[in-house]
Amino acid sequence: MINFKAFNGTVTTIDDFSIGQNNEAGCYKLIAVENGNGTLVNFVVAPTTYFVDHIMVAVGDKITGFYDANALVPLIYPPQFRALVIAKDTPYQNVKVSFFNSQLESSDGALRLNISSHTKILLENGQAFTGSIANRNLIVTYGATTRSIPAQTTPNKVIVLC
């Protein structure tokens, strides 16, 4: 199971990243992110990395990168994680990437979803998802939450990671 973790900060550089000899130049990127407290992280962005709302990222943007904390990483500084999902920070929009159980509660117990008829439920390719979203890895975009534990929200959009 994927253990989603997030790192938030400002993009400081974007460079091409070579992973082999198979003429893949330009297909992979290395995005350096600094969190404002001096902590740096490099995200390896593959063609399969999902960008929330299909945004274009530029130097100076504030982003959140989500990665698998259980994945193997090289022992280098700054740490280098394979980005699974990247979201550009947007006012009034929060993004959560997690496994949601049968009660639609995130794996860290911090967020519970209340799905409404206005919630868009999509696949990564933008097509409608018609199955159950319970017990799946989800990208959730939402606004306000309750102050309860776990916080509850009615999401604007749910993207199912198949």
Side-chain angles (χ1 to χ4, degrees):
M1 183 163 92
I2 297 175
N3 179 15
F4 290 101
K5 294 292 180 190
F7 185 82
N8 179 272
T10 303
V11 175
T12 58
T13 61
I14 301 174
D15 294 311
D16 286 338
F17 185 71
S18 178
I19 64 159
Q21 302 172 358
N22 298 339
N23 198 19
E24 296 167 341
C27 292
Y28 290 78
K29 301 289 182 188
L30 192 67
I31 298 180
V33 179
E34 196 268 322
N35 72 351
N37 296 326
T39 304
L40 300 170
V41 163
N42 286 332
F43 284 114
V44 176
V45 176
T48 55
T49 301
Y50 185 84
F51 284 78
V52 175
D53 296 329
H54 304 289
I55 49 93
M56 184 73 65
V57 173
V59 172
D61 288 343
K62 292 185 103 10
I63 66 166
T64 302
F66 298 88
Y67 60 96
D68 183 357
N70 293 336
L72 297 174
V73 295
L75 294 174
I76 58 174
Y77 182 82
Q80 185 171 291
F81 301 116
R82 182 175 169 260
L84 301 175
V85 176
I86 291 185
K88 189 173 180 179
D89 292 1
T90 307
Y92 311 111
Q93 176 177 287
N94 301 300
V95 177
K96 176 83 169 179
V97 181
S98 185
F99 177 83
F100 286 82
N101 66 19
S102 60
Q103 282 76 44
L104 297 180
E105 187 174 307
S106 62
S107 59
D108 62 3
L111 186 65
R112 181 174 291 154
L113 307 180
N114 298 315
I115 303 300
S116 80
S117 60
H118 300 292
T119 302
K120 294 178 187 172
I121 302 175
L122 307 170
L123 292 167
E124 292 173 83
N125 63 10
Q127 300 304 300
F129 179 78
T130 55
S132 170
I133 63 171
N135 296 310
R136 293 184 179 270
N137 292 320
L138 306 174
I139 303 169
V140 180
T141 63
Y142 60 97
T145 64
T146 63
R147 293 181 183 233
S148 61
I149 299 175
Q152 296 186 38
T153 190
T154 302
N156 303 320
K157 183 168 40 174
V158 174
I159 296 109
V160 179
L161 297 172
C162 289

